[in-house]
């Protein structure tokens, strides 16, 4: 009698069975739903995340309302062809979320960026809960293997659970800000602050981080509609399989470990997800999110005419409003400063006519509306980035190797400023001290002298400039390696895919 481990001949019917099994495995793709919240800062990184999954052989379905589907259709089609190979567009697709007849968005707005007030944004958030039943029907019809949902859609946890489909939370924030938020919510260190501007230490973090009560979100200091939303978000997270994060280990290693080990959260870092667009054409860059408000070729031609590292790029996101007096201070600092600039402004923002006449097209470019930010940041002429500290912008700045001047206004932006300036050392703060509601005009006026001094410290050739440039360039290279084969983010996605495959067997 032979050994139970001795080889035996492979018979023809065995070979046929093995081939059929292999073919079945090869043809069976994970099918994952990606449902982003309707705001540019949420849709763009989640669509990039869907591209990453599609590039690894996943069938990715991005769930969008009809209007937003039309905005992203061409970019997703091009990405699908690239991921699928041989012209196939089957690996990534859009599924339109058919709205119920009674679905009424406030003032007909199609995403949060179009709302004009906090009450309007709250109405939009409430209206978005009406997407639950249409989404349930999509899940029932397509039976995906997993749902990756924006954290602003807590109701997707119950929908996914009712079909025994694992739900992953897409949280477009940093590990650092989530760790800070957890400490503040649990331990309430700000409750004993003697004054709004009195600094207090945020406990139980790997680094000593000081904030003031004035820098905290309203929803943390007293009950608002957003307080209730975030409570639902946290409950839904406990029902989910884990979180996917737009970050990379080398960027936030202490806070990734803290989040996983001290807070006990299950999370995978997959970023910087914008680097999935390594071969992005100028058209893709110009239409990333929305069609650019400036001709891409005109912008590139102007940048090509500038010296390397000589241009300061200013962009404060979709929601920030500055008072006329603050705009005058920024304009004066830009005009008297030593560097050229590109300044992105919301439509309808009024600048002094004489400033526009003297500078536009000569010393600077003014873009009203949507800017091709990735294209601009990655141009060698750009040497600094004035940012509101939104996480997408920070990651895009780091991925381009551009030092930052931080000007946080609301949301978690003051947390992110601490990461950029104190933990990573890749930026310098302009000195804004107070959190304001996103619909409000920023009341703290930063003077022109202070703005110009910070500009000079980052854009000049002094010790501060050399230090932040060196650190951001180092992180830029680490970010590229993280997303390459064998990198930390690439491997984390591999682990996640294996886990999802095991759940679906």
């Amino acid at each position: 009698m032979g050994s139970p481990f001795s080889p035996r001949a492979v018979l023809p019917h065995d070979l046929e069975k093995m081939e059929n099994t292999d073919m079945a495995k090869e043809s069976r793709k994970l099918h994952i739903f990606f449902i982003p919240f309707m705001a540019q800062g949420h849709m763009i990184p989640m669509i990039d995340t869907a591209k990453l999954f599609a590039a690894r052989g996943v069938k990715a379905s991005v769930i969008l309302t009809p209007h937003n589907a039309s905005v992203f259709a061409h970019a997703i089609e091009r990405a699908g062809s690239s991921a699928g190979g041989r012209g196939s567009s089957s690996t990534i697709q859009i599924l339109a979320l058919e709205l119920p007849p009674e679905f009424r968005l406030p003032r007909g707005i199609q995403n949060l960026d179009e709302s004009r007030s906090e009450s309007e944004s709250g109405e939009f958030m409430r209206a978005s809960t009406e997407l639950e039943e249409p989404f349930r029907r999509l899940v029932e019809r397509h039976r995906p293997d997993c749902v990756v949902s924006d954290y602003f859609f807590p109701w997707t946890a119950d929908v996914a659970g009712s079909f025994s489909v694992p739900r992953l939370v897409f949280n477009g924030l940093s590990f650092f800000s989530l760790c800070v938020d957890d400490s503040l919510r649990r331990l309430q260190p700000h409750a004993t602050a003697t004054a709004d501007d009195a600094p207090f230490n945020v406990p139980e973090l790997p680094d000593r981080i000081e904030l003031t009560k004035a820098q905290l979100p309203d929803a943390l200091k007293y009950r608002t509609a957003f307080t209730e939303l975030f409570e639902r978000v946290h409950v839904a997270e406990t029902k989910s399989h884990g979180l996917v994060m737009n970050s990379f280990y080398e960027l936030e290693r202490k806070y990734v470990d803290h989040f996983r080990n001290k807070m006990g959260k299950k999370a995978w870092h997959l970023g910087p997800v914008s680097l999935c667009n390594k071969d992005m054409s100028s058209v893709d860059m110009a239409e990333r999110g929305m069609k650019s408000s400036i001709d891409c070729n005109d912008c590139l031609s102007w940048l090509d005419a500038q010296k390397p590292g000589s241009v300061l790029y200013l962009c404060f996101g979709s929601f920030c409003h500055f008072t006329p007096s603050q705009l005058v201070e920024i304009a004066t600092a830009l005009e008297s400063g030593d560097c050229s600039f590109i300044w992105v402004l919301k439509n309808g923002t009024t600048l002094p006519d004489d400033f526009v006449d003297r500078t536009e097209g000569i010393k600077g470019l003014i873009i009203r509306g949507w800017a091709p930010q990735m294209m601009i940041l990655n141009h060698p002429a750009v040497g600094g980035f004035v940012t509101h500290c939104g996480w997408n912008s920070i990651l895009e700045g780091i991925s381009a190797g551009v030092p930052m001047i931080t000007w946080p206004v609301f949301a978690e932006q003051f947390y992110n400023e601490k990461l950029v300036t104190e933990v990573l050392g890749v930026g310098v703060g302009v000195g804004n001290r107070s959190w304001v509601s996103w619909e409000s005009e920023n009341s703290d006026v930063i003077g022109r002298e202070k703005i110009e001094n910070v500009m000079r410290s980052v854009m000049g050739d002094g010790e501060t400039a050399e230090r932040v440039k060196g650190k951001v360039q180092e992180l830029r290279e680490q970010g590229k390696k993280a997303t390459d084969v064998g990198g930390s983010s690439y491997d984390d996605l591999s682990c996640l895919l294996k886990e999802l495959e095991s759940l679906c067997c």
Side-chain angles (χ1 to χ4, degrees):
M1 185 174 177
S3 164
F5 301 106
S6 59
R8 67 175 179 86
V10 178
L11 301 176
H13 68 273
D14 293 322
L15 183 58
E16 182 179 357
K17 184 177 180 181
M18 290 166 62
E19 288 175 344
N20 289 338
T21 302
D22 289 342
M23 288 175 63
K25 287 181 178 179
E26 185 176 343
S27 62
R28 172 71 171 93
K29 287 183 177 181
L30 282 173
H31 184 196
I32 300 180
F33 272 12
F34 295 83
I35 176 166
F37 182 72
M38 296 89 78
Q40 295 295 331
H42 293 242
M43 291 186 285
I44 291 172
M46 190 182 285
I47 289 171
D48 281 345
T49 302
K51 293 177 187 177
L52 285 175
F53 278 79
R56 301 288 288 273
V58 169
K59 180 181 178 182
S61 295
V62 181
I63 315 300
L64 296 170
T65 57
H67 171 82
N68 291 303
S70 68
V71 172
F72 289 95
H74 293 305
I76 288 177
E77 183 180 353
R78 286 191 294 267
S81 298
S82 175
R86 298 187 300 278
S88 168
S89 60
S90 62
T91 54
I92 181 168
Q93 62 178 346
I94 291 175
L95 290 179
L97 195 63
E98 295 299 334
L99 306 178
E102 66 277 11
F103 190 80
R104 293 290 183 270
L105 288 170
R107 203 174 50 84
I109 62 178
Q110 298 295 327
N111 61 61
L112 191 65
D113 308 76
E114 298 172 357
S115 57
R116 298 177 300 181
S117 67
E118 189 166 0
S119 60
E120 207 166 66
S121 69
E123 188 180 351
F124 183 85
M125 300 290 282
R126 286 188 293 274
S128 70
T129 62
E130 296 179 30
L131 298 175
E132 180 173 352
E133 285 308 311
F135 180 69
R136 182 184 296 275
R137 291 193 290 272
L138 273 181
V139 174
E140 184 174 22
R141 186 181 314 135
H142 295 273
R143 296 300 175 108
D145 298 305
C146 177
V147 168
V148 178
S149 163
D150 193 285
Y151 70 110
F152 271 172
F153 287 149
W155 44 264
T156 57
D158 290 330
V159 173
S162 67
F163 293 98
S164 299
V165 173
R167 180 222 188 202
L168 291 169
V169 183
F170 181 83
N171 194 314
L173 307 177
S174 61
F175 280 97
F176 177 86
S177 67
L178 292 182
C179 293
V180 172
D181 178 71
D182 173 75
S183 179
L184 293 173
R185 282 189 300 105
R186 285 190 302 106
L187 304 173
Q188 298 283 306
H190 51 284
T192 57
T194 56
D196 282 354
D197 59 353
F200 62 85
N201 180 52
V202 183
E204 298 186 357
L205 295 179
D207 297 294
R208 181 173 179 82
I209 302 297
E210 288 189 344
L211 290 166
T212 68
K213 203 170 183 177
Q215 295 172 324
L216 303 185
D218 288 345
L220 194 63
K221 293 181 285 192
Y222 45 84
R223 289 196 70 79
T224 69
F226 282 94
T227 307
E228 297 172 6
L229 170 64
F230 290 130
E231 288 172 349
R232 295 196 298 275
V233 165
H234 292 305
V235 170
E237 186 184 305
T238 64
K239 302 176 183 178
S240 302
H241 189 69
L243 296 88
V244 289
M245 303 287 291
N246 183 14
S247 189
F248 59 101
Y249 185 72
E250 293 79 5
L251 182 67
E252 302 186 83
R253 62 178 74 238
K254 288 186 288 188
Y255 294 91
V256 175
D257 292 342
H258 181 86
F259 192 76
R260 288 170 167 171
N261 303 327
K262 300 295 184 183
M263 293 170 55
K265 304 285 188 178
K266 199 171 185 178
W268 294 266
H269 47 79
L270 311 181
V273 299
S274 63
L275 294 185
C276 72
N277 303 292
K278 292 175 184 176
D279 300 321
M280 180 180 269
S281 68
S282 58
V283 173
D284 290 320
M285 285 189 179
E287 297 182 3
R288 178 172 160 79
M290 290 192 294
K291 185 175 178 60
S292 174
S293 301
I294 188 172
D295 183 274
C296 185
N297 292 324
D298 290 346
C299 185
L300 283 174
S301 295
W302 186 86
L303 283 167
D304 288 342
Q306 311 306 313
K307 295 178 181 179
S310 66
V311 176
L312 181 66
Y313 174 64
L314 301 88
C315 183
F316 297 98
S318 303
F319 301 128
C320 181
H321 296 253
F322 283 119
T323 59
S325 57
Q326 182 63 83
L327 291 170
V328 168
E329 295 301 309
I330 296 173
T332 305
L334 290 174
E335 187 172 7
S336 60
D338 298 328
C339 57
S340 301
F341 65 87
I342 295 179
W343 190 2
V344 183
L345 294 165
K346 291 174 66 69
N347 283 319
T349 302
T350 302
L351 293 176
D353 288 338
D354 52 350
F355 167 77
V356 175
D357 294 340
R358 287 194 302 268
T359 61
E360 191 165 19
I362 305 167
K363 186 173 185 179
L365 285 183
I366 296 170
I367 302 176
R368 297 180 183 275
W370 193 255
Q373 181 160 293
M374 278 185 61
M375 184 191 77
I376 293 170
L377 286 173
N378 281 278
H379 195 282
V382 175
F385 179 15
V386 182
T387 174
H388 64 308
C389 295
W391 187 236
N392 291 328
S393 290
I394 287 173
L395 276 179
E396 289 178 7
I398 288 172
S399 297
V402 178
M404 282 165 267
I405 294 172
T406 58
W407 197 320
V409 179
F410 69 104
E412 86 294 353
Q413 294 163 11
F414 282 93
Y415 307 165
N416 288 335
E417 179 183 45
K418 294 291 182 177
L419 176 66
V420 168
T421 60
E422 297 181 12
V423 178
L424 300 177
V426 296
V428 178
V430 77
N432 192 32
R433 299 187 302 271
S434 299
W435 193 100
V436 295
S437 170
W438 69 262
E439 71 167 332
S440 303
E441 293 185 330
N442 195 338
S443 57
D444 277 351
V445 176
I446 310 298
R448 62 192 70 179
E449 296 85 1
K450 191 167 189 178
I451 297 170
E452 193 172 345
N453 286 339
V454 175
M455 286 166 45
R456 191 178 300 111
S457 72
V458 171
M459 297 292 289
D461 54 6
E463 182 181 340
T464 299
E466 290 303 312
R467 184 178 72 252
V468 295
K469 286 175 186 176
K471 290 187 176 181
V472 77
Q473 286 293 332
E474 181 182 347
L475 286 174
R476 175 177 182 260
E477 294 307 312
Q478 290 175 346
K480 286 182 177 180
K481 290 178 181 177
T483 56
D484 286 340
V485 177
S488 59
S489 292
Y490 185 95
D491 286 349
D492 240 23
L493 179 53
S494 297
C495 291
L496 175 56
L497 290 175
K498 287 178 181 178
E499 186 161 328
L500 292 178
E501 286 166 357
S502 69
L503 292 173
C504 297
C505 289

